[in-house]
Amino acid sequence: MHENDRHRVILSSVQDRSVVTVADLCALTGASEATVRRDINTLDETRKLRRVRGGAEALTTTPFVGLAGRPFSYNETINIVEKQAIAAAAVDLCSDGEPIIINGGTTTFQMVHPLASRQMQVFTNSFPIAEHLLKNTRNTVLLSGGVIYREQNIILSPFDNDVTRNFYAKRMFMGAQGIGPLGLMEQDPLLIQAEQKLIGQAEELVVLVDSTKFANRSSLILCPLNRIDTIITDDGIDDRSAAMLDAADVNLIVVPTGATQKTGAVS
């Protein structure tokens, strides 16, 4: 790779991630560590980036409109065993040929693996879900249109006349930031607007959340508990949360993951 090309790659990487290591830049450019360090020194001297110990950082962060909440790449590493068990139970509710909606999220993403043996119509606003299903399964995949929010890896449209309104689903599967007596909670108004639009296209709403979400709270309500048909969670759910869902007439499916000795499903 020519020096000018390396510089463009390095500057692009630094702007995208704010801080990058020498090892990261070696992998991106195919250059040696010594060459990358020289490139960083040159770009630092011309005030295009700032040299730091072990790598480089952006002088300024390029502003862009983002969503509230942690990035997909961070969330996908949390409670992975519970998320996989919850997702498998969700796919067990489906039958081949059914149209379903899978909302973007790290728990719903885990549905892609058991869906590899199915053949369904899947509407999603998640880039990772769509890509995996297209590459590794026989499912038909439909994507929503709109703006791509790269940190959360989802596509959201501010318009009412997008393709969402033309899709019918037997079930919608979604996650949430938190769950409380008032309902499902999220952090971003645009996210809530898009999810409410999707919920309106499905006969049944199935929420996939690990048990830690029952302790989470946020300032915005996505939908009340009585709009939810089923919640699938792990056996770490406490009795108070289970009683809250029972009082709201929400079907509760508890999957065993080793958190407690609970097994099976509670309705």
Side-chain angles (χ1 to χ4, degrees):
M1 186 181 293
H2 190 272
E3 181 182 63
N4 289 339
D5 293 328
R6 292 199 309 274
H7 287 184
R8 280 192 286 268
V9 170
I10 291 170
L11 290 172
S12 173
S13 179
V14 169
Q15 286 298 326
D16 184 48
R17 290 187 284 170
S18 295
V19 178
V20 289
T21 66
V22 170
D24 290 335
L25 295 174
C26 289
L28 285 170
T29 62
S32 67
E33 182 176 323
T35 298
V36 166
R37 289 188 183 277
R38 285 197 299 270
D39 289 337
I40 290 174
N41 288 337
T42 299
L43 293 169
D44 178 78
E45 290 169 0
T46 56
R47 298 185 179 182
K48 294 180 179 178
L49 54 69
R50 183 180 296 108
R51 184 179 69 242
V52 296
R53 182 178 179 84
E57 67 178 5
L59 295 177
T60 59
T61 302
T62 302
F64 67 95
V65 178
L67 299 174
R70 295 179 303 205
F72 182 94
S73 57
Y74 177 85
N75 283 335
E76 67 178 336
T77 64
I78 301 174
N79 298 328
I80 186 64
V81 172
E82 289 81 0
K83 290 176 179 179
Q84 290 172 341
I86 291 166
V91 175
D92 283 343
L93 298 177
C94 303
S95 300
D96 280 356
E98 281 184 348
I100 62 172
I101 296 172
I102 306 180
N103 198 48
T106 54
T107 305
T108 51
F109 175 77
Q110 294 301 323
M111 291 178 67
V112 300
H113 307 301
L115 279 173
S117 62
R118 299 298 188 90
Q119 194 164 0
M120 306 181 67
Q121 300 175 59
V122 181
F123 183 96
T124 185
N125 61 2
S126 166
F127 240 45
I129 290 174
E131 181 181 35
H132 189 96
L133 291 177
L134 285 171
K135 289 182 177 180
N136 302 286
T137 78
R138 298 176 298 162
N139 295 279
T140 300
V141 180
L142 294 87
L143 271 171
S144 62
V147 178
I148 302 170
Y149 292 83
R150 65 180 64 193
E151 285 203 337
Q152 286 80 13
N153 280 330
I154 59 176
I155 308 165
L156 300 180
S157 171
F159 305 110
D160 287 331
N161 59 343
D162 62 21
V163 69
T164 302
R165 297 299 189 192
N166 301 110
F167 190 82
Y168 154 82
K170 173 67 175 177
R171 295 181 183 88
M172 175 177 172
F173 298 91
M174 65 177 296
Q177 173 69 23
I179 304 176
L182 295 179
L184 294 191
M185 288 169 277
E186 280 292 352
Q187 292 179 288
D188 192 277
L190 183 59
L191 189 62
I192 285 181
Q193 179 186 9
E195 290 178 332
Q196 287 175 338
K197 186 162 55 177
L198 287 171
I199 290 172
Q201 301 305 116
E203 284 189 23
E204 300 177 25
L205 178 59
V206 182
V207 176
L208 283 58
V209 286
D210 65 77
S211 57
T212 64
K213 296 297 180 68
F214 290 94
N216 288 356
R217 295 293 182 267
S218 185
S219 59
L220 300 175
I221 303 298
L222 171 59
C223 72
L225 289 179
N226 60 15
R227 175 60 185 86
I228 304 168
D229 294 282
T230 300
I231 287 182
I232 307 176
T233 190
D234 61 82
D235 52 6
I237 184 173
D238 59 86
D239 292 338
R240 182 177 180 180
S241 297
M244 173 185 71
L245 299 179
D246 183 61
D249 199 27
V250 176
N251 181 47
L252 174 62
I253 298 176
V254 178
V255 296
T257 60
T260 71
Q261 296 302 310
K262 296 178 185 178
T263 59
V266 180
S267 298

